[in-house]
């Protein structure tokens, strides 16, 4: 299954991040369709993949084109991503 980054505006700014979003969505689909759909929604809302010393993490972009606040992101993360924490952690480690 092939996925494209749903945020063309963000993809144009950072093609490497866009590639990894496409990869993450495709890999998540093979693990859990619910997780893939959830990640797609988080990307549409303006979530970013940020490389840290420990690997990639998902962070909110708080702006007019993203999340309204860090608190809004955290509430959505807790409700929709935390239930998939183990699967998502494994996928992020593969990036």
């Amino acid at each position: 299954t092939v996925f494209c980054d749903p945020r063309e505006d963000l993809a144009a700014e950072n093609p490497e991040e866009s590639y990894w979003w496409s990869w993450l969505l495709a890999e998540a689909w093979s693990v859990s369709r619910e997780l893939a759909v959830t990640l797609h929604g988080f990307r549409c809302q303006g979530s970013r993949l940020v490389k840290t010393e420990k690997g990639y993490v998902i962070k909110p972009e708080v702006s007019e084109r993203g999340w309204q606040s860090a608190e809004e992101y955290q509430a959505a993360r807790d409700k929709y991503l935390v239930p998939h924490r183990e699967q998502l952690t494994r996928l992020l480690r593969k990036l």
Side-chain angles (χ1 to χ4, degrees), residues 5-51:
D5 185 345
R7 286 295 300 264
E8 291 181 18
D9 58 327
L10 300 179
E13 290 177 14
N14 189 336
E16 182 178 356
E17 178 192 14
S18 179
Y19 169 83
W20 289 119
W21 268 108
S22 298
W23 181 92
L24 182 61
L25 292 171
E27 289 296 310
W29 185 260
S30 67
V31 171
S32 164
R33 291 182 178 184
E34 182 180 345
L35 175 57
V37 169
T38 299
L39 288 170
H40 186 274
F42 271 70
R43 179 57 168 173
C44 286
Q45 187 62 30
S47 296
R48 308 297 298 248
L49 281 173
V50 177
K51 190 169 188 174

Side-chain angles (χ1 to χ4, degrees), residues 3-95:
F3 283 86
C4 295
D5 185 345
R7 286 295 300 264
E8 291 181 18
D9 58 327
L10 300 179
E13 290 177 14
N14 189 336
E16 182 178 356
E17 178 192 14
S18 179
Y19 169 83
W20 289 119
W21 268 108
S22 298
W23 181 92
L24 182 61
L25 292 171
E27 289 296 310
W29 185 260
S30 67
V31 171
S32 164
R33 291 182 178 184
E34 182 180 345
L35 175 57
V37 169
T38 299
L39 288 170
H40 186 274
F42 271 70
R43 179 57 168 173
C44 286
Q45 187 62 30
S47 296
R48 308 297 298 248
L49 281 173
V50 177
K51 190 169 188 174
T52 68
E53 291 179 5
K54 296 182 180 182
Y56 282 93
V57 295
I58 298 173
K59 295 284 186 181
E61 176 170 317
V62 178
S63 69
E64 291 180 4
R65 64 183 188 171
W67 296 91
Q68 291 181 9
S69 67
E71 293 78 20
E72 176 193 33
Y73 169 81
Q74 290 169 352
R77 179 200 64 198
D78 292 349
K79 183 175 183 177
Y80 299 108
L81 289 180
V82 169
H84 301 282
R85 180 184 343 213
E86 290 180 24
Q87 295 167 320
L88 181 55
T89 299
R90 280 193 297 269
L91 290 171
L92 290 172
R93 285 185 182 149
K94 291 183 177 181
L95 290 174

